[in-house]
Amino acid sequence: MTLSKNSDWWRGAVIYQIYPRSFQDTNGDGIGDLPGITQRLDHIAALGADAIWVSPFFTSPMKDFGYDVSDYCGVDPMFGTLQDFDAMVERAHALGLRVMIDLVLSHTSDQHPWFKESRRDRHNPKADWYVWANPRPDGTPPTNWLSIFGGSAWHWDSRREQYYLHNFLTSQPDLNFHNSDVQQALLDATTFWLERGVDGFRLDTINFYFHDQNLRDNPPLPPRERNDLTAPKVNPYNHQMHLFDKSRPENLAFLRAFRAVLEPYGAAAVGEVGDSERGLQIMAAYTSGGDKVQMCYPFELLQPNRISAYDLQSAFALLASEAPDAWPCWSYSNHDVIRHITRWGLNERGVRTYLMLILSLRGSVCLYQGEELGLPEAELQFEDLQDPYGIEFWPEFKGRDGSRTPMVWDGGNGLGGFTSNAKSWLPVTAPHLALAVGNQSGQSESLLEYYRAALHFRRDHKVLAHGAMSPLSAAGDVASFARVGDEVLFCAFNLGPNEAVLDLPEGPWHNVADTLGGVAPQSGRLTLEAWGFALLRRG
């Protein structure tokens, strides 16, 4: 298959996230690899996705499992070689799948050659490539900024007798984006992957690039305004208003420079916005105007509490007021949060309705590997944990390993067909084995076949990917809106456990989703049972 040259391919795309450590192991070491991704791409193509997003596979000491990069242009031997990467891209393109890769630009590993040189002394050529600061007169850190992974965001370095900034692990020093040489080095690394054929990037922690050069303390956040959208409740990170350690205005100019690098290649970027108070406003700023990133990945649908009709109404009203041309990329699950089936306590009917909802909203969609199988969060013991975040905050917060366990392909295999090794890097749990691809494929009532049908339905009704969207209304548990384009679809979703009745706009309306369980109208009204939905075409 030849991919179209349409530079707007990302608009309305369904993107399938692959966590490479856990997708498919081909060399028997218990860890997934790039050849494993290539081997399993047919599954993603058959699902009906438009693109894949591959989480980091770069050279790394793996203190944060690839999000601590020590070579932006290298493949870690754990995952294979650059030739394996090229083969993966070639196979994906042959199947009609675009390829997006994670770029972790805000910080590197402390094993990156740049940081090794920077920390040597205060006068070397890369001395200013990271965020260094002198202590306060009493020797304490220069600001009150906190790390997401716990404790101060500053770490003392005895070589320079200064602190360096790390918004995450101490082994993940933050780059100094106020240095133009740093920006250029990162743009050069971006070009390296574009030249290898990638179609776009997922930008990790996109709002963490710049810090306040005046090193001002963050003000406290009143308890009534705190939430756990980006950090668990037990983390004191939630006690601050993060005005000066991230989301700085200088970021906009860098994003314009980044977009200029993408343009000749027709590539796209989706940025992860990590902010508990201003996420949608930041997304609006980063995606508006057509000169920065094309999409952002907000946390509104990744939140701990089940998304309600009112939550959706509030989010879309805020988007409409802040930047009506902003383009979101919605997701319920990823490698950083508890899988949404467990997080929200959904039954299978609820899973199906929430799927149809996300496929009907204006925006693009990210699906996380195993979501199509209905995988719940894996229950792991403390001794099984690999994630430093979970180890730090156990047991109140169990970390991210429960969403990162291996993909299950074969229910008759003790490790789900993931590896030939006797042990995988994280265990495969018994509840997952029963939901393996081999157990569900071809079974008409399975969740996997429902996902396939739903994604192909979205492709058949292009208005869901590209059409305009009327203001979203909330009436009790029912969220409703219209998608308008080459056809008009009225979409209604009962996001609650009780029956709901809804009056329809002037019709006539016809059920176009009966094969997916969509409800038909009766005499100008809709009766939606618990977790019921309707997709109706006018005319």
Side-chain angles (χ1 to χ4, degrees), residues 284-301:
Y286 288 6
T287 62
S288 62
D291 61 347
K292 296 175 284 294
V293 296
Q294 287 88 344
M295 305 175 281
C296 273
Y297 189 84
F299 279 45
E300 270 61 27
L301 303 192

Side-chain angles (χ1 to χ4, degrees), residues 17 78 86 103 116 144 152 154 166 179 239 246 252 281 291 311 324 338 351 379 390 395 409 432 458 463 467:
Q17 183 194 353
M78 174 186 299
D86 294 340
L103 275 185
K116 288 182 176 181
N144 69 347
S152 172
W154 296 96
H166 63 92
N179 185 319
H239 295 196
K246 64 181 182 181
L252 297 177
Q281 293 96 324
D291 61 347
D311 293 332
I338 295 171
V351 172
E379 284 293 328
W409 304 100
H432 284 198
R458 179 179 166 96
V463 67

Side-chain angles (χ1 to χ4, degrees), residues 232-529:
K233 289 180 180 178
V234 296
N235 193 337
Y237 189 82
N238 297 320
H239 295 196
Q240 292 186 356
M241 189 179 299
H242 293 276
L243 299 182
F244 300 115
D245 53 346
K246 64 181 182 181
S247 308
R248 302 297 301 156
E250 298 94 331
N251 209 19
L252 297 177
F254 175 75
L255 295 181
R256 291 187 183 98
F258 186 88
R259 177 67 175 265
V261 171
L262 301 187
E263 284 296 316
Y265 299 89
V270 53
E272 177 200 29
V273 174
D275 190 276
S276 295
E277 283 74 51
R278 298 177 293 135
L280 288 177
Q281 293 96 324
I282 294 168
M283 183 186 79
Y286 288 6
T287 62
S288 62
D291 61 347
K292 296 175 284 294
V293 296
Q294 287 88 344
M295 305 175 281
C296 273
Y297 189 84
F299 279 45
E300 270 61 27
L301 303 192
L302 290 163
Q303 63 178 283
N305 298 320
R306 181 173 57 81
I307 197 79
S308 68
Y310 175 77
D311 293 332
L312 287 167
Q313 182 185 52
S314 299
F316 275 88
L318 182 58
L319 271 179
S321 65
E322 293 287 338
D325 63 336
W327 193 263
C329 185
W330 301 113
S331 183
Y332 296 143
S333 288
N334 67 21
H335 64 293
D336 279 336
V337 299
I338 295 171
R339 288 183 177 273
H340 72 281
I341 291 177
T342 300
R343 194 170 80 243
W344 293 346
L346 298 178
N347 59 26
E348 187 162 316
R349 183 65 186 268
V351 172
R352 295 181 184 217
T353 293
Y354 272 99
L355 171 64
M356 295 308 299
L357 169 66
I358 202 170
L359 294 179
S360 301
L361 295 172
R362 178 179 179 271
S364 300
V365 177
C366 270
L367 303 178
Y368 181 49
Q369 66 181 49
E371 177 182 334
E372 73 275 23
L373 306 178
L375 296 187
E377 184 81 352
E379 284 293 328
L380 303 179
Q381 301 302 311
F382 179 77
E383 53 268 23
D384 293 324
L385 294 190
Q386 304 286 332
D387 181 18
Y389 203 1
I391 292 169
E392 175 71 22
F393 287 103
W394 179 276
E396 288 77 17
F397 174 63
K398 297 181 180 180
R400 302 165 294 179
D401 287 329
S403 65
R404 298 177 175 186
T405 56
M407 184 72 171
V408 283
W409 304 100
D410 177 5
N413 178 299
L415 290 175
F418 166 70
T419 180
S420 59
N421 197 302
K423 186 178 181 180
S424 52
W425 79 284
L426 282 174
V428 176
T429 60
H432 284 198
L433 286 174
L435 299 171
V437 173
N439 292 0
Q440 294 196 46
S441 189
Q443 303 300 311
S444 60
E445 298 303 313
S446 72
L447 188 61
L448 172 58
E449 292 299 343
Y450 189 87
Y451 263 73
R452 289 173 175 169
L455 265 63
H456 284 88
F457 177 88
R458 179 179 166 96
R459 281 191 174 180
D460 291 340
H461 294 272
K462 298 187 187 308
V463 67
L464 294 177
H466 306 294
M469 179 174 163
S470 70
L472 190 148
S473 297
D477 287 324
V478 177
S480 63
F481 52 89
R483 300 301 307 273
V484 181
D486 55 359
E487 61 179 340
V488 177
L489 294 184
F490 179 76
C491 311
F493 302 88
N494 183 3
L495 304 180
N498 301 307
E499 181 179 279
V501 179
L502 185 70
D503 289 324
L504 289 171
E506 285 191 29
W509 298 100
H510 304 285
N511 183 11
V512 291
D514 54 325
T515 60
L516 293 166
V519 176
Q522 292 184 335
S523 304
R525 306 187 87 190
L526 266 179
T527 300
L528 298 174
E529 61 184 41

Side-chain angles (χ1 to χ4, degrees), residues 101-121:
I101 64 173
D102 238 316
L103 275 185
V104 189
L105 302 182
S106 69
H107 55 268
T108 70
S109 164
D110 60 2
Q111 299 305 304
H112 198 294
W114 298 346
F115 187 70
K116 288 182 176 181
E117 182 174 355
S118 185
R119 77 189 315 182
R120 194 175 65 222
D121 55 51

Side-chain angles (χ1 to χ4, degrees), residues 152-166:
S152 172
W154 296 96
H155 186 73
W156 179 254
D157 186 83
S158 59
R159 297 167 184 82
R160 291 181 50 143
E161 296 187 37
Q162 287 182 305
Y163 285 96
Y164 67 81
L165 179 67
H166 63 92

Side-chain angles (χ1 to χ4, degrees), residues 128 130-134 142-143 145 154 165 175-180 183 209-218 243-251:
D128 193 40
Y130 292 80
V131 184
W132 295 96
N134 292 323
T143 71
W145 302 346
W154 296 96
L165 179 67
L175 286 160
N176 179 17
F177 272 72
H178 294 285
N179 185 319
S180 60
Q183 293 190 31
Y209 293 168
F210 284 85
H211 68 287
D212 175 45
Q213 284 187 295
N214 294 320
L215 298 181
R216 287 172 282 184
D217 281 347
N218 284 328
L243 299 182
F244 300 115
D245 53 346
K246 64 181 182 181
S247 308
R248 302 297 301 156
E250 298 94 331
N251 209 19

